[in-house]
Amino acid sequence: QVQLVDSGGGLVQVGHSLRLSCAASGRTVSSYTMGWFRQAPGKEREFVAAISRSGVNTYYADSVKGRFTMSRDNAKNTVYLQMNSLKPEDTAVYYCAADRYPSPRPLPGYYDYWGQGTQVTVSS
């Protein structure tokens, strides 16, 4: 079992950047495919990005491709989401999640463990 703690959210203006972190404890995060999801008020939780166990392969939602970068540091048991050129529609609570399946998957139902979420608000 792994415990995940999300951090790094905040209030930023359009076009600015944030970096989210997800620190894991318990079982090493290298055992899991990791994902980032987000949920805006009144909307379903949606896929943002995922990364393979080794960090070699990453996958992104079309809405964030080219602006967001997911990475992981298995030695630090931490994954990151670098968010650049933020837009108002990126406003949401962001969650990291861990999946025991070896390949990244975009549906939240596949993920076994979740962080508590961190709020990102982009003002125009």
Side-chain angles (χ1 to χ4, degrees), residues 6-107:
D6 307 321
S7 63
L11 173 63
V12 296
Q13 293 184 328
V14 169
H16 286 210
S17 300
L18 278 175
R19 188 176 82 154
L20 305 184
S21 298
C22 172
S25 61
R27 194 170 178 182
T28 177
V29 72
S30 62
S31 300
Y32 299 93
T33 298
M34 299 298 293
W36 283 99
F37 293 81
R38 65 186 182 186
Q39 189 165 17
K43 295 188 177 181
E44 294 188 352
R45 193 166 296 189
E46 66 173 2
F47 172 74
V48 175
I51 191 166
S52 61
R53 291 175 178 176
S54 66
V56 170
N57 298 310
T58 51
Y59 303 88
Y60 299 94
D62 288 343
S63 58
V64 307
K65 203 170 293 183
R67 300 188 296 122
F68 290 12
T69 303
M70 185 173 184
S71 61
R72 67 191 301 160
D73 186 338
N74 287 340
K76 294 183 177 180
N77 238 18
T78 303
V79 297
Y80 305 96
L81 184 68
Q82 177 66 44
M83 306 187 295
N84 299 330
S85 302
L86 283 162
K87 304 176 180 180
E89 51 264 43
D90 295 320
T91 296
V93 178
Y94 284 71
Y95 300 88
C96 73
D99 183 2
R100 288 173 289 186
Y101 193 75
S103 298
R105 300 186 287 185
L107 295 178

